[in-house]
Amino acid sequence: MRSKDRISYFYDGDVGSVYFGPNHPMKPHRLCMTHHLVLSYDLHKKMEIYRPHKAYPVELAQFHSADYVEFLHRITPDTQDLYLNDLAKYNLGEDCPVFENLFEFCQIYAGGTLDAARRLNNKLCDIAINWAGGLHHAKKCSASGFCYINDLVLGILELLKYHARVLYIDIDVHHGDGVEEAFYLTDRVMTVSFHKYGDLFFPGTGDVKEIGEREGKYYAINVPLKDGIDDSSFNRLFKIIIDKVVETYQPGAIVLQCGADSLAGDRLGCFNLSIDGASLVNYLLPIHSDSIPFAFFLPLQHIYNFYCIITYFCFLTGHAECVKFVKKFNLPLLVTGGGGYTKENVARCWTVETGVLLDAELPNEIPDNDYIKYFGPDYSLKIPHGHIENLNSKSYISTIKMQVMESLRSIQHAPGVQMHEVPPDFYIPDFDEDGQNPDERVDQHTHDKQIQRDDEYYEGDNDNDNPYDV
């Protein structure tokens, strides 16, 4: 077992400055909030912090069609009216609008996931985090579900250069359809998605019967859930399935998509998950020490403290518990964000999960930071459980579990693959200081890559909220 995980964390403030438009639920500003919350808990001091490179078009075209990448590169809000047929062809519009700096936004979040995969491949870290990534709906030739470039597919393709098998796990409330589709015909990647299914819920795929085809048959695992699933049901099912998947498939690396729209209270979600089950703990902690049986055998405060500790570890459940469970396999781990549309809860969730990956206990009271006003009025890191009726009966959960286990039994053993010479990483041109023309203007991102600022990850990003962002 590793004594201490080496963690690389990727962030570029520019990724949080884009604006999808009025009334659009996707708020990249949540990434700035997350980063500043991570800083306020001093978690950056326990990680290596990197600004990702902006992915080159040739890198994006390792999965996406060259014409689609070129169109994303070319289209702007001012010119979109000239390309109405292409907008329809590539599914750009209401859900996936054209906005200022769209292509740069894609380059940054995809670059983060590519850089994360490469550091893992070169054994420069054990865990790599890119909360800006996880846009799992994008397809080879089109955008979908607020996603333009599928950074997860690109990251997995990178990991496959060094690993015979890669496991992809998705805990977003929406089915990870883009990633599943990309690897539906291969056994080199096993995709496992836990998501809401039915009632015309987006994207409409992810039935338990969708198991892959040809060489990929049985290597797509779908866990379709109904409204209102709670921490205990979700975590129990998650652990049983993932434990069996890892035992059967024996992956060389894991990619974990941590979409936060599966949390209670999400604007687009319908589950009852807490971040870390702490609301149950907070409910139990006020019990007075004199109410604990047999308190007379030990000093009351000692017994109460012991009770609180036992209670905490017995009831640690929720979204973050999935991250903790996957971490324990001690495999190279790439962690991304994903959905999440109640942005203060997204920031809470991904900060807690950064702490989980660092084995760091975080105080419940949120420290002062540039976005503290968003966490009022209680300024607490925890969120309450939801109150949506749980439509996932014990018999339904049991049936889903049995069907998944039956698929896994159809896999005789972990598939082998003849590994050839590892393809080189894409050439990333270095900055040539001698060859620079002093009269030529460079963009801000290029300039930033040429200098090293002491304050790079400490000074505030502008709050880019719009009056419509409620």
Side-chain angles (χ1 to χ4, degrees):
M1 190 173 184
R2 297 189 294 248
S3 57
K4 184 172 176 58
D5 289 311
R6 298 167 300 157
I7 298 184
S8 296
Y9 171 100
F10 294 87
Y11 176 74
D12 185 327
D14 291 344
V15 81
S17 66
V18 300
Y19 181 57
F20 273 59
N23 302 318
H24 198 290
M26 176 61 93
K27 309 290 183 186
H29 176 242
R30 66 199 178 134
L31 299 166
C32 297
M33 294 173 63
T34 299
H35 183 65
H36 281 264
L37 201 51
V38 165
L39 294 180
S40 73
Y41 277 105
D42 286 338
L43 297 178
H44 60 289
K45 296 178 180 178
K46 302 177 182 181
M47 305 183 287
E48 295 174 335
I49 311 292
Y50 297 97
R51 169 177 284 166
H53 84 285
K54 291 198 293 186
Y56 290 88
V58 66
E59 294 178 283
L60 305 180
Q62 291 303 296
F63 169 60
H64 294 283
S65 64
D67 61 305
Y68 173 54
V69 172
E70 192 276 330
F71 183 72
L72 288 179
H73 198 178
R74 172 165 37 102
I75 194 71
T76 69
D78 293 335
T79 62
Q80 62 180 324
D81 289 343
L82 304 175
Y83 300 101
L84 296 181
N85 290 338
D86 285 338
L87 288 173
K89 174 182 176 181
Y90 298 119
N91 198 34
L92 297 183
E94 188 173 351
D95 277 357
C96 300
V98 176
F99 51 82
E100 291 291 343
N101 301 315
L102 166 60
F103 191 66
E104 183 183 36
F105 171 68
C106 296
Q107 288 180 291
I108 293 172
Y109 76 72
T113 298
L114 285 167
D115 287 350
R118 288 169 185 159
R119 287 194 68 81
L120 289 168
N121 280 345
N122 290 291
K123 300 184 178 179
L124 298 174
C125 65
D126 304 305
I127 298 170
I129 303 170
N130 178 28
W131 293 126
L135 278 72
H136 59 173
H137 294 305
K139 305 297 175 29
K140 181 179 179 69
C141 303
S142 66
S144 178
F146 317 156
C147 306
Y148 302 83
I149 292 294
N150 199 315
D151 63 291
L152 292 158
V153 172
L154 294 170
I156 291 169
L157 290 172
E158 200 68 25
L159 291 170
L160 287 172
K161 293 179 181 179
Y162 285 73
H163 301 281
R165 295 173 300 280
V166 174
L167 171 61
Y168 171 72
I169 304 171
D170 191 316
I171 57 173
D172 196 289
V173 76
H174 300 95
H175 178 228
D177 59 332
V179 182
E180 178 184 279
E181 181 179 301
F183 300 108
Y184 206 62
L185 305 180
T186 180
D187 58 9
R188 295 280 312 276
V189 179
M190 177 172 277
T191 59
V192 186
S193 179
F194 297 78
H195 52 267
K196 154 78 179 191
Y197 178 74
D199 306 322
L200 302 179
F201 195 75
F202 184 86
T205 53
D207 191 351
V208 71
K209 296 175 183 176
E210 296 170 22
I211 58 174
E213 294 178 1
R214 301 195 324 224
E215 287 82 3
K217 190 173 184 180
Y218 304 120
Y219 292 93
I221 302 291
N222 283 297
V223 186
L225 301 167
K226 300 180 181 181
D227 288 3
I229 194 160
D230 55 26
D231 285 346
S232 59
S233 300
F234 190 92
N235 287 136
R236 192 160 52 243
L237 192 58
F238 182 89
K239 290 179 179 181
I240 289 170
I241 290 174
I242 295 302
D243 214 24
K244 189 64 176 176
V245 163
V246 173
E247 176 193 333
T248 304
Y249 190 60
Q250 298 176 31
I254 299 176
V255 176
L256 176 60
Q257 197 267 20
C258 298
D261 47 7
S262 46
L263 292 175
D266 188 82
R267 289 173 65 183
L268 300 186
C270 53
F271 287 173
N272 285 326
L273 301 187
S274 68
I275 294 174
D276 63 359
S279 56
L280 178 57
V281 178
N282 291 339
Y283 171 77
L284 291 168
L285 288 183
I287 298 175
H288 296 294
S289 58
D290 56 10
S291 70
I292 303 173
F294 311 115
F296 53 88
F297 285 114
L298 289 169
L300 295 180
Q301 191 58 49
H302 289 181
I303 289 187
Y304 181 55
N305 290 344
F306 178 75
Y307 170 79
C308 293
I309 292 169
I310 293 299
T311 300
Y312 178 81
F313 285 106
C314 286
F315 292 95
L316 183 60
T317 57
H319 200 274
E321 177 62 10
C322 297
V323 178
K324 182 180 180 182
F325 186 76
V326 172
K327 180 179 183 288
K328 82 175 182 65
F329 292 109
N330 290 320
L331 291 167
L333 177 60
L334 198 168
V335 179
T336 74
Y341 308 99
T342 302
K343 60 184 185 176
E344 61 273 18
N345 289 348
V346 174
R348 288 179 167 106
C349 180
W350 292 343
T351 299
V352 167
E353 289 170 357
T354 302
V356 165
L357 294 167
L358 288 165
D359 295 318
E361 295 279 341
L362 305 185
N364 188 35
E365 184 177 350
I366 291 177
D368 189 31
N369 66 84
D370 286 359
Y371 300 101
I372 189 69
K373 64 181 182 180
Y374 288 94
F375 302 103
D378 58 354
Y379 306 100
S380 166
L381 196 57
K382 316 303 178 188
I383 65 169
H385 290 269
H387 301 289
I388 299 173
E389 181 185 0
N390 188 354
L391 302 180
N392 300 274
S393 65
K394 287 184 178 179
S395 62
Y396 177 76
I397 294 287
S398 178
T399 300
I400 293 297
K401 181 178 69 176
M402 287 173 55
Q403 289 177 279
V404 169
M405 292 301 174
E406 185 63 34
S407 283
L408 288 171
R409 275 192 292 272
S410 300
I411 300 174
Q412 297 301 315
H413 52 78
V417 62
Q418 182 67 40
M419 297 299 285
H420 302 285
E421 183 179 349
V422 177
D425 291 340
F426 290 106
Y427 171 66
I428 307 299
D430 293 323
F431 170 63
D432 180 5
E433 188 171 359
D434 294 332
Q436 184 186 30
N437 180 351
D439 298 324
E440 183 180 349
R441 295 190 63 184
V442 297
D443 61 73
Q444 185 62 43
H445 194 280
T446 303
H447 177 68
D448 286 347
K449 290 180 72 173
Q450 297 168 16
I451 59 175
Q452 190 171 12
R453 302 200 316 263
D454 293 335
D455 65 343
E456 181 165 356
Y457 295 102
Y458 298 85
E459 294 299 318
D461 300 286
N462 291 329
D463 182 342
N464 227 32
D465 258 355
N466 185 281
Y468 290 98
D469 182 8
V470 206

